[in-house]
Amino acid sequence: LTRPVEVMQEVQRVLKPGGKVQIIFSNRLFLSKAVAVWTGADDVDHAYTVGAYINESGGFENIAAKDLSNRKGRGRRITGDPLYAVSATKLNT
């Protein structure tokens, strides 16, 4: 995704007021295809980056991130691929 703010502006344009957007991602990637801001960051930074793109596009509220990864055991280790979601709601204006 090379123009994330423009993409989120289009999402905001087509959503009804109060509509929700969910961006779901894993930290699995192809280094040859990922942008530098993604490859040099950890999972928390990825969620923050996605939230920042949504915020920068304008017209959204209640931007939140959630870890959807399967976890097991005492240390709550991730089993399988990590999975994260960033959600937001279009303003009612």
Side-chain angles (χ1 to χ4, degrees), residues 33-50:
K33 295 183 179 185
V35 294
V37 70
W38 202 260
T39 61
D42 65 15
D43 298 330
V44 172
D45 290 331
H46 293 159
Y48 182 85
T49 299
V50 172

Side-chain angles (χ1 to χ4, degrees), residues 7-61:
V7 169
M8 292 313 306
Q9 287 170 335
E10 182 65 8
V11 169
Q12 191 274 344
R13 186 186 72 77
V14 300
L15 276 178
K16 293 179 182 178
K20 297 188 184 301
V21 60
Q22 301 274 334
I23 308 295
I24 299 172
F25 58 92
S26 175
N27 72 354
R28 302 293 186 228
L29 58 92
F30 295 100
L31 288 173
S32 62
K33 295 183 179 185
V35 294
V37 70
W38 202 260
T39 61
D42 65 15
D43 298 330
V44 172
D45 290 331
H46 293 159
Y48 182 85
T49 299
V50 172
Y53 291 149
I54 294 170
N55 186 60
E56 180 67 24
S57 71
F60 288 101
E61 62 183 354

